[in-house]
C-alpha cells in the first residue's frame, strides 16, 4: 500500500469536483444551523456519523473488491433524496475522469463502461483507491475526511469563517474520524462474507430534506 497515494487522493487539489459541493453546508448556513465554528463542528460530527460512515463503508467495500454494481445499488438504497443521488453520481463521474488519468486500471475502465451516467462517488472512490494500491482502512479514512472537509471548506466561503477556525474544527474531529474509518473498514470486511446488508445504513433525514430544498434554489453558490 502507498500512503503517498492516499495523500494524493485526499488532497483537496485533486481534480475530483468536490470544490463545487458543500455537503449540505450551504443549506444549513441559510437555515441558521451553521453560523460559527461551534455549530460547524456539530454539523460535521452529525454528518460524519451518518452519511460519512455510510460513504466510508461503501468505499472500503469497493476497495476490497466487492462488485461495484451491488455497491451502487446499496448506495441508492441508502440515499432517499433524488437530489443527493444525482449529486453523488456527478461527483462519481468527475472522480472517475481524474482517476482514469492518474491510476489507469481495468477495474476503473469497467466502472466507466458499466455506469455511463456515473456511479455513486463512494463506490468510484473505493475502486480508485484499489487501483492506487490502498486498503480498506486507508480508503475509509479518505471518505470520512471528505465527509467533513467539504463542509468545513465551504463554510469558510459561505460565512467568511476564519480558515484557522475551520482547520481547528477538523483537528478536533480527528479522533472521531479514526473511529468512523475503523468502523467502516470492519463493516466492509464483514460484508465480504455476510453480504451488502452488513454495511451501515445510517439515516440523516435533515440532510436529505435540505438537499431537496437546496436543489430548487434559483441562486446558489454550490451544486449541493
Amino acid at each position: 500500500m502507498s500512503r503517498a497515494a492516499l495523500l494524493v487522493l485526499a488532497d483537496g487539489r485533486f481534480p475530483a469536483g468536490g470544490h463545487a459541493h458543500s455537503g449540505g453546508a450551504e443549506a444549513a448556513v441559510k437555515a441558521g444551523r451553521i453560523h460559527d465554528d461551534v455549530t460547524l463542528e456539530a454539523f460535521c460530527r452529525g454528518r460524519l456519523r451518518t452519511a460519512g460512515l455510510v460513504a466510508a463503508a461503501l468505499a472500503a467495500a469497493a476497495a476490497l473488491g466487492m462488485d461495484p454494481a451491488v455497491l451502487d445499488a446499496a448506495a441508492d438504497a441508502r440515499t432517499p433524496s433524488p437530489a443527493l443521488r444525482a449529486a453523488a453520481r456527478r461527483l462519481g463521474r468527475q472522480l472517475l475522469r481524474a482517476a482514469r488519468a492518474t491510476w489507469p486500471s481495468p477495474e476503473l475502465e469497467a466502472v466507466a463502461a458499466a455506469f455511463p451516467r456515473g456511479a455513486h462517488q463512494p463506490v468510484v472512490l473505493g475502486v480508485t483507491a484499489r487501483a492506487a494500491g490502498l486498503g480498506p482502512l486507508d480508503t475509509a479514512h479518505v471518505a470520512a475526511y471528505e465527509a467533513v472537509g467539504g463542509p468545513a471548506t465551504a463554510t469558510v466561503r459561505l460565512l467568511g469563517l476564519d480558515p484557522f477556525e475551520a482547520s481547528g474544527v477538523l483537528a478536533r474531529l480527528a479522533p472521531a474520524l479514526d473511529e468512523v474509518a475503523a468502523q467502516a473498514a470492519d463493516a466492509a470486511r464483514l460484508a465480504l462474507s455476510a453480504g451488502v446488508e452488513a454495511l451501515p445504513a445510517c439515516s440523516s433525514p435533515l440532510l436529505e430534506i435540505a438537499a431537496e430544498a437546496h436543489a430548487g434554489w434559483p441562486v446558489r453558490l454550490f451544486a449541493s
Side-chain angles (χ1 to χ4, degrees):
M1 291 187 291
S2 170
R3 287 294 169 86
L6 182 154
L7 296 175
V8 172
L9 190 54
D11 192 333
R13 291 164 293 188
F14 188 71
H19 64 279
H21 296 260
S22 75
E26 186 167 23
V29 166
K30 184 173 182 180
R33 289 189 291 273
I34 299 177
H35 51 81
D36 58 14
D37 63 316
V38 175
T39 49
L40 171 62
E41 183 172 344
F43 175 87
C44 287
R45 285 189 184 278
R47 193 172 196 280
L48 176 63
R49 297 288 186 180
T50 54
L53 174 59
V54 170
L58 287 165
L64 282 169
M66 288 189 69
D67 185 350
V70 172
L71 293 173
D72 192 73
D76 256 353
R78 287 159 173 76
T79 313
S81 163
L84 284 185
R85 289 199 297 271
R89 293 190 183 281
R90 286 197 301 272
L91 282 166
R93 286 196 302 270
Q94 179 64 28
L95 173 57
L96 187 59
R97 285 184 61 196
R100 291 167 74 190
T102 308
W103 295 287
S105 82
E107 287 179 286
L108 287 170
E109 294 305 316
V111 170
F115 299 95
R117 296 187 303 113
H120 276 261
Q121 192 269 357
V123 179
V124 178
L125 174 61
V127 178
T128 300
R130 184 175 172 87
L134 299 179
L137 181 57
D138 281 345
T139 304
H141 268 105
V142 174
Y145 182 75
E146 285 182 348
V148 296
T153 301
T155 302
V156 171
R157 294 172 62 187
L158 290 162
L159 287 178
L161 187 71
D162 188 332
F164 295 131
E165 292 182 345
S167 295
V169 167
L170 295 176
R172 292 192 293 274
L173 288 171
L177 284 164
D178 288 343
E179 291 172 14
V180 167
Q183 184 180 349
D186 288 345
R189 295 186 187 99
L190 178 60
L192 278 178
S193 57
V196 73
E197 295 80 8
L199 296 176
C202 307
S203 177
S204 49
L206 193 54
L207 282 176
E208 303 278 345
I209 293 168
E212 289 300 306
H214 181 268
W217 291 3
V219 178
R220 53 188 173 170
L221 186 60
F222 291 93
S224 70

